[in-house]
Amino acid sequence: ETGVTQSPTHLIKTRGQQVTLRCSSQSGHNTVSWYQQALGQGPQFIFQYYREEENGRGNFPPRFSGLQFPNYSSELNVNALELDDSALYLCASSSGLNADTQYFGPGTRLTVL
Amino acid sequence: AQSVTQLDSQVPVFEEAPVELRCNYSSSVSVYLFWYVQYPNQGLQLLLKYLSGSTLVESINGFEAEFNKSQTSFHLRKPSVHISDTAEYFCAVSEIGGATNKLIFGTGTLLAVQP
Protein backbone atom coordinates (compact mmCIF):
# COMPACT_ATOMS: atom_id res chain seq x y z
CA GLU A 1 0.00 0.00 0.00
CA THR A 2 1.43 3.35 -1.08
CA GLY A 3 1.24 6.23 1.35
CA VAL A 4 0.62 9.89 0.60
CA THR A 5 3.25 11.42 -1.65
CA GLN A 6 3.91 15.06 -2.49
CA SER A 7 6.00 16.86 -5.07
CA PRO A 8 8.21 18.74 -5.26
CA THR A 9 10.02 18.44 -1.95
CA HIS A 10 11.35 21.98 -2.02
CA LEU A 11 10.54 25.00 -4.13
CA ILE A 12 11.84 28.56 -4.31
CA LYS A 13 9.76 31.28 -5.94
CA THR A 14 9.73 35.07 -6.02
CA ARG A 15 6.93 37.40 -5.03
CA GLY A 16 4.15 37.65 -7.56
CA GLN A 17 4.83 34.29 -9.15
CA GLN A 18 2.45 31.33 -9.24
CA VAL A 19 3.10 27.84 -7.90
CA THR A 20 1.51 24.40 -8.20
CA LEU A 21 2.02 21.70 -5.60
CA ARG A 22 0.99 18.10 -6.15
CA CYS A 23 -0.30 15.32 -3.94
CA SER A 24 -1.08 11.66 -4.53
CA SER A 25 -3.47 10.24 -1.97
CA GLN A 26 -3.10 6.92 -0.23
CA SER A 27 -4.59 3.99 -2.11
CA GLY A 28 -8.35 3.79 -1.59
CA HIS A 29 -8.67 7.34 -0.25
CA ASN A 30 -11.05 9.73 -2.01
CA THR A 31 -10.65 12.76 0.26
CA VAL A 32 -7.69 15.13 0.25
CA SER A 33 -7.05 18.05 2.58
CA TRP A 34 -4.36 20.71 2.31
CA TYR A 35 -2.71 22.46 5.23
CA GLN A 36 -0.23 25.30 5.55
CA GLN A 37 2.35 25.09 8.33
CA ALA A 38 4.27 28.30 8.89
CA LEU A 39 7.56 28.11 10.76
CA GLY A 40 6.99 27.41 14.44
CA GLN A 41 3.23 27.00 14.03
CA GLY A 42 0.72 24.22 13.83
CA PRO A 43 -0.80 23.31 10.46
CA GLN A 44 -3.72 25.46 9.29
CA PHE A 45 -6.51 23.98 7.17
CA ILE A 46 -6.65 25.46 3.65
CA PHE A 47 -9.36 23.36 1.98
CA GLN A 48 -10.57 19.85 1.35
CA TYR A 49 -11.55 17.98 -1.81
CA TYR A 50 -13.95 15.07 -1.94
CA ARG A 51 -14.67 13.27 -5.19
CA GLU A 52 -13.30 16.17 -7.26
CA GLU A 53 -15.36 18.86 -5.51
CA GLU A 54 -14.19 21.39 -2.95
CA ASN A 55 -15.75 20.52 0.39
CA GLY A 56 -14.88 23.07 3.01
CA ARG A 57 -12.37 25.90 3.09
CA GLY A 58 -10.36 27.58 5.79
CA ASN A 59 -9.52 31.25 6.16
CA PHE A 60 -7.39 31.59 3.04
CA PRO A 61 -7.84 34.08 0.17
CA PRO A 62 -9.11 33.02 -3.27
CA ARG A 63 -5.59 33.07 -4.72
CA PHE A 64 -5.27 29.69 -3.00
CA SER A 65 -7.12 27.24 -5.23
CA GLY A 66 -7.10 23.54 -5.86
CA LEU A 67 -8.13 20.64 -7.99
CA GLN A 68 -8.82 16.97 -7.47
CA PHE A 69 -8.56 14.52 -10.33
CA PRO A 70 -10.53 11.33 -11.05
CA ASN A 71 -7.74 9.24 -9.53
CA TYR A 72 -8.14 11.41 -6.37
CA SER A 73 -4.72 13.03 -6.67
CA SER A 74 -4.79 16.75 -6.03
CA GLU A 75 -3.12 20.05 -6.79
CA LEU A 76 -2.77 23.20 -4.73
CA ASN A 77 -2.27 26.38 -6.73
CA VAL A 78 -1.20 29.68 -5.24
CA ASN A 79 -1.25 32.83 -7.36
CA ALA A 80 0.45 36.17 -6.75
CA LEU A 81 2.82 34.73 -4.16
CA GLU A 82 3.57 36.79 -1.07
CA LEU A 83 6.47 36.49 1.35
CA ASP A 84 4.10 35.17 4.03
CA ASP A 85 3.23 32.22 1.81
CA SER A 86 6.60 30.73 2.74
CA ALA A 87 5.68 27.58 4.64
CA LEU A 88 5.52 23.80 4.63
CA TYR A 89 2.46 22.68 2.67
CA LEU A 90 1.02 19.39 3.83
CA CYS A 91 -1.41 17.16 2.04
CA ALA A 92 -3.48 14.59 3.92
CA SER A 93 -5.81 11.92 2.63
CA SER A 94 -8.62 9.94 4.19
CA SER A 95 -11.14 7.33 3.13
CA GLY A 96 -14.13 9.66 3.20
CA LEU A 97 -15.63 12.75 4.76
CA ASN A 98 -16.57 10.82 7.86
CA ALA A 99 -13.28 8.99 8.14
CA ASP A 100 -11.85 9.52 11.56
CA THR A 101 -8.19 9.70 10.54
CA GLN A 102 -6.14 11.65 8.01
CA TYR A 103 -2.74 10.47 6.81
CA PHE A 104 -0.15 13.04 5.89
CA GLY A 105 2.44 13.27 3.18
CA PRO A 106 6.00 14.54 3.76
CA GLY A 107 5.14 18.07 2.66
CA THR A 108 6.47 20.62 0.20
CA ARG A 109 8.68 23.38 1.57
CA LEU A 110 7.90 26.62 -0.31
CA THR A 111 10.20 29.60 0.04
CA VAL A 112 9.09 32.94 -1.41
CA LEU A 113 11.83 35.53 -1.90
CA ALA B 1 -15.76 26.26 16.32
CA GLN B 2 -12.96 24.32 17.93
CA SER B 3 -9.62 25.39 19.33
CA VAL B 4 -6.63 23.55 20.77
CA THR B 5 -4.18 24.89 23.31
CA GLN B 6 -0.74 23.48 23.94
CA LEU B 7 0.62 25.65 26.71
CA ASP B 8 4.20 24.35 26.59
CA SER B 9 6.08 25.38 23.48
CA GLN B 10 9.13 23.41 24.56
CA VAL B 11 9.69 20.64 27.11
CA PRO B 12 13.30 19.72 27.91
CA VAL B 13 13.76 16.36 29.63
CA PHE B 14 16.60 13.97 30.33
CA GLU B 15 16.72 10.56 28.73
CA GLU B 16 14.82 7.86 30.66
CA ALA B 17 12.81 10.47 32.60
CA PRO B 18 9.00 10.63 32.39
CA VAL B 19 7.31 13.35 30.41
CA GLU B 20 3.85 14.87 30.00
CA LEU B 21 2.83 17.10 27.12
CA ARG B 22 -0.33 19.04 27.86
CA CYS B 23 -3.25 19.58 25.52
CA ASN B 24 -6.55 21.31 26.22
CA TYR B 25 -9.32 21.85 23.71
CA SER B 26 -12.48 23.85 23.36
CA SER B 27 -15.46 22.71 21.32
CA SER B 28 -19.24 23.09 21.35
CA VAL B 29 -19.62 19.72 19.60
CA SER B 30 -18.20 16.25 20.09
CA VAL B 31 -14.72 15.75 18.70
CA TYR B 32 -12.16 13.12 17.96
CA LEU B 33 -8.74 13.77 19.50
CA PHE B 34 -5.31 13.11 18.04
CA TRP B 35 -1.63 13.40 18.72
CA TYR B 36 0.66 13.73 15.72
CA VAL B 37 4.48 13.74 15.80
CA GLN B 38 6.72 15.62 13.40
CA TYR B 39 10.40 14.78 13.14
CA PRO B 40 12.75 17.44 11.69
CA ASN B 41 12.08 18.19 8.03
CA GLN B 42 9.31 15.61 7.81
CA GLY B 43 5.52 15.49 7.60
CA LEU B 44 3.14 14.52 10.37
CA GLN B 45 2.82 10.98 11.65
CA LEU B 46 -0.21 9.82 13.63
CA LEU B 47 0.90 8.85 17.14
CA LEU B 48 -2.44 7.94 18.71
CA LYS B 49 -6.10 8.87 18.64
CA TYR B 50 -9.18 8.83 20.82
CA LEU B 51 -12.44 8.06 19.06
CA SER B 52 -14.61 6.48 21.74
CA GLY B 53 -14.56 3.87 24.47
CA SER B 54 -11.72 3.61 26.95
CA THR B 55 -10.40 7.05 27.78
CA LEU B 56 -6.81 5.79 27.89
CA VAL B 57 -5.22 5.17 24.51
CA GLU B 58 -1.76 3.86 23.82
CA SER B 59 0.73 3.95 20.96
CA ILE B 60 3.09 1.18 19.91
CA ASN B 61 6.16 3.11 21.06
CA GLY B 62 5.19 3.60 24.68
CA PHE B 63 3.22 6.86 24.59
CA GLU B 64 -0.25 7.08 26.08
CA ALA B 65 -2.89 9.77 26.33
CA GLU B 66 -5.96 10.09 28.48
CA PHE B 67 -9.15 11.81 27.41
CA ASN B 68 -10.68 13.82 30.24
CA LYS B 69 -14.04 15.19 29.16
CA SER B 70 -14.70 17.27 32.26
CA GLN B 71 -11.35 19.04 31.95
CA THR B 72 -11.42 19.01 28.13
CA SER B 73 -7.89 17.69 28.10
CA PHE B 74 -5.94 15.04 26.21
CA HIS B 75 -2.47 15.02 27.76
CA LEU B 76 0.28 12.86 26.30
CA ARG B 77 2.58 10.89 28.59
CA LYS B 78 5.53 8.57 28.40
CA PRO B 79 7.10 6.95 31.48
CA SER B 80 10.63 6.87 30.05
CA VAL B 81 11.76 8.87 27.03
CA HIS B 82 14.54 8.14 24.56
CA ILE B 83 16.76 10.44 22.54
CA SER B 84 14.84 9.30 19.46
CA ASP B 85 11.62 10.79 20.88
CA THR B 86 12.99 14.29 20.22
CA ALA B 87 10.42 15.85 17.87
CA GLU B 88 7.55 18.31 17.64
CA TYR B 89 4.26 16.98 18.97
CA PHE B 90 0.91 18.34 17.83
CA CYS B 91 -2.46 17.84 19.48
CA ALA B 92 -5.46 18.09 17.15
CA VAL B 93 -9.24 17.70 17.11
CA SER B 94 -11.82 17.08 14.42
CA GLU B 95 -15.57 17.44 14.64
CA ILE B 96 -17.51 14.19 14.75
CA GLY B 97 -20.02 14.05 11.90
CA GLY B 98 -19.12 17.48 10.58
CA ALA B 99 -19.25 18.62 6.97
CA THR B 100 -15.51 17.97 6.77
CA ASN B 101 -13.10 15.95 8.85
CA LYS B 102 -10.61 18.83 8.94
CA LEU B 103 -8.14 18.92 11.78
CA ILE B 104 -7.68 21.85 14.12
CA PHE B 105 -4.16 21.83 15.52
CA GLY B 106 -2.46 23.32 18.52
CA THR B 107 0.76 25.25 18.08
CA GLY B 108 2.90 22.26 18.99
CA THR B 109 5.30 21.25 21.76
CA LEU B 110 8.93 20.57 21.07
CA LEU B 111 10.09 17.61 23.15
CA ALA B 112 13.85 17.94 23.57
CA VAL B 113 15.40 14.83 25.11
CA GLN B 114 18.88 15.33 26.49
CA PRO B 115 21.41 12.60 27.31
Side-chain angles (χ1 to χ4, degrees), chain A residues 41-94:
Chain A
Q41 300 296 317
Q44 299 288 318
F45 175 72
I46 303 174
F47 45 55
Q48 181 178 78
Y49 278 82
Y50 172 68
R51 293 186 175 179
E52 303 179 59
E53 297 287 331
E54 184 179 294
N55 176 71
R57 187 179 185 93
N59 189 26
F60 281 82
R63 58 189 185 84
F64 285 78
S65 63
L67 283 173
Q68 188 178 32
F69 300 98
N71 66 355
Y72 302 131
S73 65
S74 177
E75 287 182 354
L76 164 64
N77 299 290
V78 187
N79 294 321
L81 284 167
E82 301 177 358
L83 296 179
D84 285 348
D85 295 333
S86 294
L88 180 68
Y89 288 85
L90 295 163
C91 167
S93 74
S94 58

Side-chain angles (χ1 to χ4, degrees), chain B residues 2-24:
Chain B
Q2 299 89 43
S3 66
V4 177
T5 302
Q6 294 180 250
L7 288 173
D8 305 306
S9 60
Q10 186 168 348
V11 173
V13 62
F14 288 106
E15 194 173 17
E16 298 183 6
V19 70
E20 179 180 81
L21 307 183
R22 296 180 293 168
C23 172
N24 287 89

Side-chain angles (χ1 to χ4, degrees), chain B residues 10-111:
Chain B
Q10 186 168 348
V11 173
V13 62
F14 288 106
E15 194 173 17
E16 298 183 6
V19 70
E20 179 180 81
L21 307 183
R22 296 180 293 168
C23 172
N24 287 89
Y25 71 94
S26 173
S27 178
S28 57
V29 298
S30 297
V31 294
Y32 295 132
L33 296 130
F34 305 85
W35 276 99
Y36 282 87
V37 59
Q38 186 174 39
Y39 297 100
N41 300 312
Q42 294 188 24
L44 299 174
Q45 298 177 28
L46 179 66
L47 187 60
L48 47 74
K49 60 185 178 183
Y50 173 77
L51 305 180
S52 64
S54 172
T55 57
L56 184 66
V57 290
E58 299 177 351
S59 72
I60 58 173
N61 56 354
F63 282 94
E64 65 178 31
E66 186 161 19
F67 170 53
N68 187 318
K69 188 173 183 179
S70 62
Q71 297 186 6
T72 60
S73 68
F74 190 54
H75 301 331
L76 182 69
R77 302 184 182 94
K78 189 171 186 180
S80 176
V81 295
H82 303 288
I83 294 289
S84 59
D85 292 325
T86 294
E88 190 88 25
Y89 291 79
F90 291 95
C91 181
V93 301
S94 69
E95 180 181 339
I96 298 174
T100 79
N101 60 354
K102 69 179 181 182
L103 291 161
I104 306 298
F105 287 89
T107 51
T109 297
L110 175 62
L111 175 62

Side-chain angles (χ1 to χ4, degrees), chain A residues 7-23:
Chain A
S7 62
T9 305
H10 296 89
L11 204 52
I12 299 175
K13 292 285 188 178
T14 57
R15 275 186 305 174
Q17 285 189 310
Q18 179 266 343
V19 69
T20 297
L21 310 182
R22 295 177 175 83
C23 170

